[in-house]
């Protein structure tokens, strides 16, 4: 009896209320940021926030003449279900015009159907799984794809006489992507991957893996780990076991020498060659200004990392698109304006590919050196206008 | 092949010693005092931060930071025990779980506030870096140091419990607190001191472990499962059991990574379940 | 805390006694719909997790079984419903039932191992199973999408009428109705002789065995029952969010649901629901207030509840009521289970 009553009540109510989402013209520009602000990866959100705040500070807190309001939502790490709910809440409750942030790929995938349904333009500031931009026509990316940074490393290694390598990646989706992209590019140029290992995400100690590599004596090793605790642990084990002395060369993507963590990683990182799209030591005038303003705003405790620069560029991309649409924030117009948008970023020239809404940028080959007592990634070679290889292949 | 096997075995033992140092206090508080202290990892983390802070900000040598980490964490834990934990001794384990996990959350956020979310750097002194040749085996000096400290602590704890007057008091207080009080033993004081030593060892382990386990505010939650595996497989309150279990866990972990990396973390969990089905009270645990 | 049997109640009295409850169950969705339609999503989240916590209460609060791996069933339910919806079976209600069945089956298989051990070992065995399933799902990327999550769910309208909308209205009422139905079933089970047997087992397994209760079988049944409910909760979460994250299987979620239950109060029918509401809402408010350090606040709430509200939020309400209304209530199912189980060790 009660079952029936409850059900009927529910059905009756289902039609009763409808929220409205009208947005007045003189409203501020509302931007929702879904990112990691707490937990082990809290640095990601902190860097995003700094990049966003710096852009706003330099532009009097305004984009396209409107005051900007930022609403932050914390996923506390990879949390696609939370991200999805936050996206819905940002749209329904906070009535945001844009969604951005998005550090972890699962989180970006999860919100794709929501932003498509609501036609909310979404600018990915980090999540680097290739297919994210294909998962919704309302998503553009200003960061990078894993493949985009991994494949050039393979090409550079081949160019410099390395024909044989061993691949170490973290056992998660991006690790697999990096592995595949690297191996494909390496094999295409005549190189050979002689062995590989995927390490668990919660693994603190790499000595057994490194010992194994030492015993197998490959010519070189390429590794990919997410920014944070894993690369320093791997490098420590590498030095401890004396693999440099054993003559094995080491290469990685720039996550291994993320500027946020590089100083704490310490001398074990010295000499490591990586491929990446941003180093805070990038020697352009624009970047020098960016770093100077960044330090002025947040103190020298925190270096701007590739997260901060992507967040800064993300805001610039939103501003650039709104300039084209003359302040119109409707999803379709904004996305149209984002396509083909070119920006001069602190990392160098970037462009949002008109066909894929993904980023086209320069990928640099860098080496960790000590400059004025600080560890930095010094760029010494580059690949220009690199597109996402995973999409190029299709 | 034999050399490889021995190298991996040794690395596993060194890792196990570290797990033992951190877990032994948890085993003692849960087993002897019946208190479920899931904030134990926070004490280890605290020890780690004491060590890095002293090294970075005050230039204190690594070896000196170790006893300081032990002492400071032990002292802090006495304060926590007297102010908070002793109110909960008579409560059920579930209240203790809720309380100590709450404390862990607070300590994670608190440490993030002071130190930020990033990894703390640690640079070992030169004489602990690199490898030495020992009976034809290349072994890491730091790992050798870990094994030595671990064995030393294990011996000290066993002898302390078995041979000293204080050890006798602990055993009496655990076996029959009413009788012990009647004999004039200050049971509360004995528990507080036992708790402090256990926490201090966790602090020592935290400081020693930065090199291998890393140090971020997420530490207490990240490794909680590992510590609980050691405690449960070893047997609650058993020093020897904890040592044995820690070594088993460490060796299996290293062996899998070296020989069967594609299996990943499956093995350790499967072994734990199997061991607990075989011996529900742990390898060396007493039946209650 | 003596185990005793309550006087069996006549069916006719049931509705009268539950009148207030029914009113409450009707008032809550009405209030959300009228005053807080912008919070449908949060309310849906609370309802699904509330059901999950309720399922854990059957174990921890009533049967005295311990589990740190309960997310296994939640996740299995979620992936079952999710995979069905990805592969063309989008009908939600049958999806729920199949998810319940699969979760129950896994619960049945693992129950033999779980009831063999007690105390810490039981915690660790459930934890171990949970971690193994998590790892398996992480590895089976071709099936589950790994840590990218399960994408591409297409869920049909509920009863062919109510489509899942962006505002979460359908999701909320769907979840709430299912929660209400499950709650009724749980209440009947708790009040049944079987439920009383479980409480007896929690309080004194030896005596229960002595009076001829097949203790292991009863505990296994409770475990399967809890697995079924957790599976339904997971399936609800999957269908309403049309996405399944690997985190639905994680140790973190197992621990979180235990925290929710303890916050609300284990061994009360409403403990899980209240706890889920307190935990989710506190986290939502605190993390909006401060995305970086909200954990401090949530931890603080937990610490304060233990210090000043033993037995959870409902525990303090009950002791207040007992103080205000000193007449003893007859329903002994309410005796506060301060110690559902004690640790092993030297004791």
């Amino acid at each position: 009896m009660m079952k029936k009553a409850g059900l009927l009540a529910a059905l009756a109510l289902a039609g009763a209320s409808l929220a409205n989402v009208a947005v007045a013209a003189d409203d501020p520009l509302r931007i929702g940021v879904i990112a990691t602000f707490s937990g082990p990866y809290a640095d990601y959100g902190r860097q995003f926030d700094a990049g966003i705040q710096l852009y706003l500070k330099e532009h009097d807190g305004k984009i396209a003449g409107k005051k900007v309001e930022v609403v932050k939502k914390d996923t506390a790490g990879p949390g696609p279900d939370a991200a999805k709910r936050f996206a819905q809440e940002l749209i329904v409750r906070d009535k945001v015009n844009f969604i951005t942030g998005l550090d972890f790929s699962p989180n970006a995938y999860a919100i794709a159907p929501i932003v498509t349904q609501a036609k909310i333009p979404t600018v990915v500031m980090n999540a680097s799984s290739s297919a994210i931009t294909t998962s919704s026509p309302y998503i553009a990316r200003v960061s990078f794809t894993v493949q985009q940074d991994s494949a050039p490393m393979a090409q550079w290694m081949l160019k410099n006489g390395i024909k044989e390598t061993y691949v170490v990646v973290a056992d998660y989706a991006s690790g697999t992507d990096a592995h595949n992209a690297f191996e494909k590019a390496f094999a295409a140029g005549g190189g050979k991957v002689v062995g590989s290992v995927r390490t668990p995400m919660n693994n603190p100690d790499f000595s057994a893996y490194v010992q194994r590599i030492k015993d197998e004596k490959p010519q070189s090793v390429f590794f990919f780990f997410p920014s944070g605790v894993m690369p320093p642990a791997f490098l420590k084990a590498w030095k401890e076991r004396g693999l440099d002395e054993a003559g094995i060369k080491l290469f990685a993507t720039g996550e291994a020498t993320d500027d946020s963590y590089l100083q704490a990683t310490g001398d074990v990182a010295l000499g490591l060659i990586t491929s990446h799209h941003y180093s805070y030591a990038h020697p352009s005038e624009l970047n020098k200004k960016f770093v100077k303003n960044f330090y002025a705003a947040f103190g020298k405790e925190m270096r701007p990392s590739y997260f901060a620069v992507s967040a800064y560029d993300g805001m610039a991309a939103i501003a650039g698109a709104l300039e084209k649409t003359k302040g119109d924030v409707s999803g379709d117009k904004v996305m149209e304006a984002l396509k083909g948008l070119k920006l001069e970023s602190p990392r160098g020239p970037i462009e949002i590919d008109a066909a894929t809404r993904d980023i086209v940028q320069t990928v640099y080959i860098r080496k960790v050196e000590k400059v004025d007592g600080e560890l930095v990634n010094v760029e010494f070679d580059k690949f220009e206008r690199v597109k996402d290889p995973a999409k190029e292949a299709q | 092949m034999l050399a490889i096997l021995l190298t991996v075995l040794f690395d596993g033992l060194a890792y196990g010693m570290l797990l033992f140092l951190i877990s032994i206090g948890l085993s003692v508080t849960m087993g002897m005092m019946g208190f479920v202290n899931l904030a134990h990892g926070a004490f280890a983390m605290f020890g780690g931060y004491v060590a890095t802070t002293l090294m970075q900000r005050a230039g204190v040598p690594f070896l000196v930071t170790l006893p300081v980490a032990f002492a400071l964490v032990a002292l802090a834990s006495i304060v926590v025990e007297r102010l908070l934990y002793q109110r909960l001794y008579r409560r059920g384990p579930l209240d203790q779980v809720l309380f100590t996990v709450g404390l862990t959350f607070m300590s994670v956020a608190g440490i993030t506030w002071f130190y930020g979310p990033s990894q703390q750097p640690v640079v070992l002194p030169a004489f602990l870096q690199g490898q030495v040749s020992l009976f034809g085996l290349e072994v890491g000096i730091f790992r050798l140091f870990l094994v030595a400290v671990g064995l030393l602590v294990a011996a000290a704890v066993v002898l302390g419990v078995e041979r000293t007057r204080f050890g006798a008091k602990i055993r009496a207080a655990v076996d029959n607190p009413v009788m012990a009080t009647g004999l004039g033993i200050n049971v509360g004081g004995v528990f507080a001191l036992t708790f402090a030593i256990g926490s201090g060892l966790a602090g020592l382990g935290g400081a020693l472990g930065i090199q291998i386990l890393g140090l971020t505010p997420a530490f207490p939650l990240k490794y909680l499962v590992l510590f609980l595996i050691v405690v449960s497989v070893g047997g609650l309150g058993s020093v020897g059991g904890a040592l044995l279990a820690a070594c088993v866990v460490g060796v299996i972990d290293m062996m899998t990574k070296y020989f069967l990396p594609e299996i990943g973390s499956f093995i350790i969990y499967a072994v734990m379940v199997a061991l607990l089905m075989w011996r529900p009270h742990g390898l060396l645990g007493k039946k209650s | 805390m003596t185990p005793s049997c309550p006087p069996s109640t006549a069916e006719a009295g049931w509705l009268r006694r539950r009148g207030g409850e029914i009113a409450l169950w009707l008032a809550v969705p009405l209030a959300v719909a009228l005053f807080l339609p912008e919070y449908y999503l949060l309310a849906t989240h609370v309802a699904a997790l509330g059901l999950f916590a309720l399922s854990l209460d059957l174990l921890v609060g009533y049967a005295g079984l311990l589990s740190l791996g309960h997310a296994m069933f939640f996740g299995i339910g979620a992936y079952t419903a999710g995979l069905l919806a990805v592969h063309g079976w989008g009908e939600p209600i049958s999806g729920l039932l199949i998810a319940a069945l699969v979760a129950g089956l896994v619960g049945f298989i693992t129950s033999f191992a779980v009831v063999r051990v007690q105390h810490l070992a039981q915690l660790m065995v459930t934890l171990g199973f949970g971690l193994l399933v998590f790892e398996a799902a992480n590895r089976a990327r071709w099936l589950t999408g790994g840590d990218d999550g399960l994408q591409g769910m297409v869920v049909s309208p509920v009863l062919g009428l109510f489509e899942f909308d962006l505002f979460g209205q359908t999701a909320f009422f769907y979840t709430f109705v299912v929660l209400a139905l499950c709650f009724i079933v749980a209440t009947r089970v708790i009040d049944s002789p079987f439920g009383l047997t479980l409480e007896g087992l929690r309080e004194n397994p030896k005596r229960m065995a002595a009076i001829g209760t097949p203790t292991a079988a009863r505990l296994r049944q409770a475990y399967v029952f809890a697995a079924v409910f957790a599976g339904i909760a997971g399936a609800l979460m999957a269908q309403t969010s049309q996405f399944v994250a690997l985190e639905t299987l994680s140790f973190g979620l197992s621990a979180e649901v235990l925290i929710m239950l303890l916050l609300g109060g284990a061994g009360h029918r409403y403990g899980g629901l209240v706890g889920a509401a307190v935990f989710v809402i506190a986290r939502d408010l605190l993390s909006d207030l401060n995305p970086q350090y909200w954990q401090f606040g949530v931890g603080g709430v937990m610490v304060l509840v233990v210090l000043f509200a033993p037995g959870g939020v409902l525990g303090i309400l009950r002791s207040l009521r007992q103080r205000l209304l000193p007449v003893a209530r007859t329903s002994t199912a309410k005796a506060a289970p301060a110690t559902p189980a004690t640790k092993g060790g030297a004791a």
Side-chain angles (χ1 to χ4, degrees), chain A residues 158-220:
Chain A
L158 290 165
K159 209 167 75 182
N160 289 275
I162 311 248
K163 294 284 172 219
E164 193 191 282
T165 199
Y166 189 104
V167 176
V168 183
V169 298
D171 191 8
Y172 74 128
S174 293
T176 314
D177 287 348
H179 186 171
N180 293 340
F182 176 87
E183 182 155 5
K184 198 171 162 200
F186 201 59
K192 185 160 182 271
V193 172
V194 294
S196 69
V197 64
R198 294 184 182 176
T199 67
M201 285 299 279
N202 56 2
N203 168 57
D205 181 17
F206 289 89
S207 52
Y209 299 114
V210 170
Q211 184 67 42
R212 168 112 186 205
I213 293 169
K214 190 179 181 185
D215 295 337
E216 295 201 2
K217 301 185 183 65
Q219 183 188 11
S220 70

Side-chain angles (χ1 to χ4, degrees), chain C residues 156-243:
Chain C
S156 321
V158 180
L159 301 172
L161 294 171
F162 304 100
E163 197 151 347
F164 286 102
D165 54 303
L166 188 62
F167 301 98
Q169 194 175 38
T170 308
F172 171 69
F173 285 108
Y174 174 56
T175 308
F176 201 83
V177 169
V178 174
L179 168 66
L181 294 177
C182 289
F183 189 81
I184 293 168
V185 175
T187 301
R188 300 309 298 267
V189 168
I190 288 166
D191 288 347
S192 72
F194 170 67
L196 294 168
T197 311
L198 293 184
E199 288 184 53
L201 285 170
R202 179 190 75 209
E203 296 303 331
N204 195 335
K206 285 205 182 102
R207 197 184 294 176
M208 290 304 283
I211 62 171
T213 311
T215 55
R218 289 287 171 275
L219 289 176
R220 278 211 312 277
Q221 284 156 2
Y223 192 73
V224 173
F225 207 73
V228 166
F229 272 27
I232 294 176
L236 278 175
M237 187 78 109
Q239 291 174 341
T240 54
S241 66
Q242 315 215 348
F243 187 86

Side-chain angles (χ1 to χ4, degrees), chain A residues 267-281:
Chain A
D267 288 350
V268 290
L270 267 178
L272 180 62
I273 292 176
T274 58
S275 56
H276 211 234
H277 54 277
Y278 181 64
S279 156
Y280 101 115

Side-chain angles (χ1 to χ4, degrees), chain B residues 210-250:
Chain B
I210 309 171
Q211 182 73 11
I212 286 176
L213 300 175
L215 185 64
T216 68
F219 185 94
L221 295 170
K222 188 175 173 188
Y223 294 114
L224 182 60
V225 170
L226 205 53
F227 304 149
L228 284 175
I229 291 177
V230 169
V231 169
S232 61
V233 169
L236 277 175
S238 160
V239 177
L243 184 63
L244 181 62
C247 290
V248 168
V249 169

